[in-house]
Amino acid sequence: MTEPGPLAVALRGLCPRCGARSLFKGFAAFAPNCRACGLDLSAFDVGDGPAAFLTLIVGAAITGLAIALELSLEPPWWVHVLLWLPLSIAAVLGSLRIAKGLLLALEYRQRTPELEVGRKP
Ligand SMILES: [Zn+2]
């Protein structure tokens, strides 16, 4: 059992303690605890805080792409709907999952020393 790095936790949905793929129960929702080692994942309250922030970034990026496409190819309006709507949703959900995994992994790393030491000299 080796602890995976924060990036591996985030990108592959791994448990930050044992490395099992047990971090998520839904697409971007954490499982209450790790199926493999029993780590209490509900203790890490990352929440959906990054969601609004990510939506703004993704929105700005998609708007830029849409304007570039319109100016270069001038496609019919429904091309924009078919292209940007699913792409926006996928980009927000995908980045939300990674951001939440990363936050949990970093919080786990910060917490672990105090759990293991637990006493002051
Ligand atoms: Zn685990």
Side-chain angles (χ1 to χ4, degrees):
M1 295 217 306
T2 51
E3 292 185 3
L7 221 60
V9 169
L11 293 175
R12 298 172 56 204
L14 304 179
C15 166
R17 185 161 72 185
C18 70
R21 298 198 68 165
S22 58
L23 187 55
F24 292 98
K25 75 166 165 21
F27 185 75
F30 293 133
N33 45 47
C34 174
R35 287 189 305 271
C37 72
L39 176 65
D40 185 11
L41 297 170
S42 61
F44 299 89
D45 189 18
V46 174
D48 289 325
F53 187 60
L54 290 168
T55 306
L56 284 175
I57 296 174
V58 169
I62 298 279
T63 305
L65 288 172
I67 291 171
L69 180 73
E70 178 63 32
L71 292 179
S72 57
L73 298 174
E74 296 184 23
W77 66 268
W78 52 263
V79 171
H80 287 293
V81 176
L82 285 181
L83 205 57
W84 307 122
L85 209 61
L87 200 65
S88 304
I89 294 168
V92 167
L93 287 178
S95 57
L96 180 62
R97 180 184 161 109
I98 292 171
K100 286 179 73 173
L102 199 58
L103 284 173
L104 185 140
L106 294 174
E107 204 182 321
Y108 175 79
R109 286 215 155 175
Q110 282 200 326
R111 249 186 224 199
T112 310
E114 75 192 55
L115 290 177
E116 283 177 357
V117 178
R119 58 192 155 90
K120 294 189 176 84

